[in-house]
Amino acid sequence: MKKSAIIGLITIAICVGFLVSLNADTNTYANFTEAAASDREEHVMGYWEKTKGMEYDPHVDANSFGFFMKDQTGKVNKVIYNGTKPQDFEKSEKLVLIGKMENNVFYASKILMKCPSKYNNELVEINQDGTAKS
């Protein structure tokens, strides 16, 4: 075999190995039930359950923030985050928590928030026939 063919095969093998390693670490969103069954960190998407409030007192412990979240299946669970309350948490539309479930409590290591877009100030109502109401 020529030297260039061997180098080409090695390069292709390295690229395939790299792509396989990227695919192996890809996470999908789980719910609280799946997170409880898993022994690794999971991504759980949901909404803050505003009626249950939040637990945050920076004068007592600035690095302890607790709240309740409803996941995509409708299950509500307590969440504890060992960090300060994220800025504009109250304005968030959706939450993605990264963490582990232990003893029926989700311990988040990261909180990602989707806040309302500042460009969508006007709401448009759609009629039943599909036309926009002015």
Side-chain angles (χ1 to χ4, degrees), residues 87-132:
Q87 184 178 356
D88 295 333
F89 178 81
E90 294 85 0
K91 296 179 183 178
S92 65
E93 287 181 352
K94 271 187 184 176
L95 301 170
V96 176
L97 306 177
I98 302 170
K100 290 184 176 184
M101 183 78 86
E102 294 176 17
N103 300 326
N104 225 14
V105 175
F106 191 85
Y107 291 92
S109 59
K110 289 184 183 177
I111 299 176
L112 308 173
M113 300 183 310
K114 180 186 183 301
C115 293
S117 174
K118 64 183 179 181
Y119 302 109
N120 292 335
N121 291 336
E122 297 176 13
L123 295 175
V124 177
E125 186 176 337
I126 306 295
N127 296 322
Q128 285 184 333
D129 63 354
T131 60

Side-chain angles (χ1 to χ4, degrees), residues 33-79:
T33 306
E34 294 167 344
S38 175
D39 60 342
R40 61 186 183 100
E41 281 199 336
E42 296 288 342
H43 292 68
V44 179
M45 184 187 302
Y47 305 91
W48 172 40
E49 188 66 26
K50 295 177 183 178
T51 58
K52 296 197 176 208
M54 67 176 86
E55 301 166 2
Y56 182 66
D57 189 356
H59 301 294
V60 175
D61 186 0
N63 289 321
S64 180
F65 175 52
F67 60 97
F68 287 85
M69 186 177 95
K70 183 186 291 188
D71 69 9
Q72 297 291 335
T73 63
K75 182 177 181 184
V76 177
N77 217 70
K78 182 170 183 152
V79 176

Side-chain angles (χ1 to χ4, degrees), residues 15-31:
C15 290
V16 168
F18 179 72
L19 291 174
V20 168
S21 70
L22 284 178
N23 193 28
D25 195 30
T26 305
N27 287 338
T28 58
Y29 295 114
N31 56 43

